[in-house]
PDB file of all heavy atoms in Angstrom:
ATOM      1  N   MET A 186      -9.524  64.171 -23.575  1.00 79.00           N
ATOM      2  CA  MET A 186      -8.447  63.719 -24.429  1.00 79.00           C
ATOM      3  C   MET A 186      -7.197  64.577 -24.260  1.00 79.00           C
ATOM      4  O   MET A 186      -6.100  64.146 -24.597  1.00 79.00           O
ATOM      5  CB  MET A 186      -8.890  63.759 -25.892  1.00 79.00           C
ATOM      6  CG  MET A 186      -9.853  62.649 -26.289  1.00 79.00           C
ATOM      7  SD  MET A 186      -9.069  61.034 -26.262  1.00 79.00           S
ATOM      8  CE  MET A 186      -7.888  61.223 -27.598  1.00 79.00           C
ATOM      9  N   ASP A 187      -7.366  65.787 -23.755  1.00 77.00           N
ATOM     10  CA  ASP A 187      -6.230  66.692 -23.596  1.00 77.00           C
ATOM     11  C   ASP A 187      -5.584  66.504 -22.231  1.00 77.00           C
ATOM     12  O   ASP A 187      -5.071  67.451 -21.645  1.00 77.00           O
ATOM     13  CB  ASP A 187      -6.671  68.141 -23.791  1.00 77.00           C
ATOM     14  CG  ASP A 187      -7.710  68.574 -22.758  1.00 77.00           C
ATOM     15  OD1 ASP A 187      -8.487  67.701 -22.312  1.00 77.00           O
ATOM     16  OD2 ASP A 187      -7.742  69.760 -22.412  1.00 77.00           O
ATOM     17  N   CYS A 188      -5.602  65.301 -21.708  1.00 84.00           N
ATOM     18  CA  CYS A 188      -5.047  65.003 -20.393  1.00 84.00           C
ATOM     19  C   CYS A 188      -4.253  63.711 -20.484  1.00 84.00           C
ATOM     20  O   CYS A 188      -4.673  62.759 -21.149  1.00 84.00           O
ATOM     21  CB  CYS A 188      -6.182  64.874 -19.370  1.00 84.00           C
ATOM     22  SG  CYS A 188      -5.649  64.408 -17.719  1.00 84.00           S
ATOM     23  N   LEU A 189      -3.106  63.665 -19.828  1.00 87.00           N
ATOM     24  CA  LEU A 189      -2.284  62.466 -19.825  1.00 87.00           C
ATOM     25  C   LEU A 189      -2.497  61.629 -18.568  1.00 87.00           C
ATOM     26  O   LEU A 189      -1.802  60.640 -18.355  1.00 87.00           O
ATOM     27  CB  LEU A 189      -0.801  62.846 -19.957  1.00 87.00           C
ATOM     28  CG  LEU A 189      -0.429  63.454 -21.311  1.00 87.00           C
ATOM     29  CD1 LEU A 189       1.007  63.934 -21.311  1.00 87.00           C
ATOM     30  CD2 LEU A 189      -0.657  62.453 -22.431  1.00 87.00           C
ATOM     31  N   TYR A 190      -3.440  62.024 -17.738  1.00 89.00           N
ATOM     32  CA  TYR A 190      -3.850  61.243 -16.570  1.00 89.00           C
ATOM     33  C   TYR A 190      -2.669  60.834 -15.690  1.00 89.00           C
ATOM     34  O   TYR A 190      -2.552  59.685 -15.268  1.00 89.00           O
ATOM     35  CB  TYR A 190      -4.644  60.007 -17.019  1.00 89.00           C
ATOM     36  CG  TYR A 190      -5.943  60.360 -17.676  1.00 89.00           C
ATOM     37  CD1 TYR A 190      -5.999  60.648 -19.045  1.00 89.00           C
ATOM     38  CD2 TYR A 190      -7.128  60.463 -16.955  1.00 89.00           C
ATOM     39  CE1 TYR A 190      -7.188  61.005 -19.664  1.00 89.00           C
ATOM     40  CE2 TYR A 190      -8.324  60.814 -17.555  1.00 89.00           C
ATOM     41  CZ  TYR A 190      -8.345  61.087 -18.912  1.00 89.00           C
ATOM     42  OH  TYR A 190      -9.520  61.449 -19.517  1.00 89.00           O
ATOM     43  N   THR A 191      -1.786  61.780 -15.450  1.00 90.00           N
ATOM     44  CA  THR A 191      -0.674  61.528 -14.541  1.00 90.00           C
ATOM     45  C   THR A 191      -1.160  61.644 -13.105  1.00 90.00           C
ATOM     46  O   THR A 191      -2.287  62.082 -12.835  1.00 90.00           O
ATOM     47  CB  THR A 191       0.448  62.545 -14.769  1.00 90.00           C
ATOM     48  OG1 THR A 191      -0.050  63.862 -14.459  1.00 90.00           O
ATOM     49  CG2 THR A 191       0.946  62.511 -16.212  1.00 90.00           C
ATOM     50  N   LEU A 192      -0.300  61.275 -12.181  1.00 91.00           N
ATOM     51  CA  LEU A 192      -0.639  61.405 -10.767  1.00 91.00           C
ATOM     52  C   LEU A 192      -0.911  62.863 -10.420  1.00 91.00           C
ATOM     53  O   LEU A 192      -1.827  63.184  -9.650  1.00 91.00           O
ATOM     54  CB  LEU A 192       0.509  60.853  -9.911  1.00 91.00           C
ATOM     55  CG  LEU A 192       0.316  60.874  -8.397  1.00 91.00           C
ATOM     56  CD1 LEU A 192      -0.916  60.098  -7.993  1.00 91.00           C
ATOM     57  CD2 LEU A 192       1.559  60.312  -7.700  1.00 91.00           C
ATOM     58  N   GLN A 193      -0.132  63.758 -11.009  1.00 91.00           N
ATOM     59  CA  GLN A 193      -0.330  65.185 -10.775  1.00 91.00           C
ATOM     60  C   GLN A 193      -1.681  65.654 -11.315  1.00 91.00           C
ATOM     61  O   GLN A 193      -2.361  66.464 -10.683  1.00 91.00           O
ATOM     62  CB  GLN A 193       0.797  65.990 -11.440  1.00 91.00           C
ATOM     63  CG  GLN A 193       0.754  67.490 -11.181  1.00 91.00           C
ATOM     64  CD  GLN A 193       1.000  67.837  -9.725  1.00 91.00           C
ATOM     65  OE1 GLN A 193       1.664  67.076  -9.014  1.00 91.00           O
ATOM     66  NE2 GLN A 193       0.489  68.970  -9.278  1.00 91.00           N
ATOM     67  N   ASP A 194      -2.090  65.125 -12.455  1.00 90.00           N
ATOM     68  CA  ASP A 194      -3.403  65.475 -13.006  1.00 90.00           C
ATOM     69  C   ASP A 194      -4.521  65.062 -12.060  1.00 90.00           C
ATOM     70  O   ASP A 194      -5.463  65.823 -11.811  1.00 90.00           O
ATOM     71  CB  ASP A 194      -3.611  64.797 -14.362  1.00 90.00           C
ATOM     72  CG  ASP A 194      -2.781  65.428 -15.466  1.00 90.00           C
ATOM     73  OD1 ASP A 194      -2.533  66.639 -15.383  1.00 90.00           O
ATOM     74  OD2 ASP A 194      -2.392  64.707 -16.398  1.00 90.00           O
ATOM     75  N   HIS A 195      -4.447  63.854 -11.534  1.00 90.00           N
ATOM     76  CA  HIS A 195      -5.467  63.373 -10.609  1.00 90.00           C
ATOM     77  C   HIS A 195      -5.493  64.210  -9.328  1.00 90.00           C
ATOM     78  O   HIS A 195      -6.560  64.540  -8.800  1.00 90.00           O
ATOM     79  CB  HIS A 195      -5.214  61.907 -10.260  1.00 90.00           C
ATOM     80  CG  HIS A 195      -5.620  60.943 -11.333  1.00 90.00           C
ATOM     81  ND1 HIS A 195      -4.860  60.726 -12.459  1.00 90.00           N
ATOM     82  CD2 HIS A 195      -6.705  60.136 -11.461  1.00 90.00           C
ATOM     83  CE1 HIS A 195      -5.462  59.826 -13.226  1.00 90.00           C
ATOM     84  NE2 HIS A 195      -6.577  59.454 -12.642  1.00 90.00           N
ATOM     85  N   LEU A 196      -4.319  64.544  -8.857  1.00 92.00           N
ATOM     86  CA  LEU A 196      -4.230  65.344  -7.629  1.00 92.00           C
ATOM     87  C   LEU A 196      -4.838  66.726  -7.838  1.00 92.00           C
ATOM     88  O   LEU A 196      -5.605  67.226  -6.991  1.00 92.00           O
ATOM     89  CB  LEU A 196      -2.763  65.463  -7.205  1.00 92.00           C
ATOM     90  CG  LEU A 196      -2.475  66.205  -5.894  1.00 92.00           C
ATOM     91  CD1 LEU A 196      -3.183  65.527  -4.730  1.00 92.00           C
ATOM     92  CD2 LEU A 196      -0.971  66.272  -5.644  1.00 92.00           C
ATOM     93  N   GLU A 197      -4.531  67.345  -8.963  1.00 91.00           N
ATOM     94  CA  GLU A 197      -5.055  68.687  -9.236  1.00 91.00           C
ATOM     95  C   GLU A 197      -6.573  68.686  -9.433  1.00 91.00           C
ATOM     96  O   GLU A 197      -7.248  69.634  -9.030  1.00 91.00           O
ATOM     97  CB  GLU A 197      -4.359  69.263 -10.475  1.00 91.00           C
ATOM     98  CG  GLU A 197      -2.908  69.628 -10.224  1.00 91.00           C
ATOM     99  CD  GLU A 197      -2.219  70.143 -11.477  1.00 91.00           C
ATOM    100  OE1 GLU A 197      -2.861  70.086 -12.562  1.00 91.00           O
ATOM    101  OE2 GLU A 197      -1.057  70.591 -11.386  1.00 91.00           O
TER     102      GLU A 197
END
Side-chain angles (χ1 to χ4, degrees):
M186 286 292 294
D187 62 329
C188 176
L189 293 174
Y190 295 86
T191 63
L192 181 58
Q193 184 66 27
D194 287 329
H195 283 78
L196 183 59
E197 289 178 353

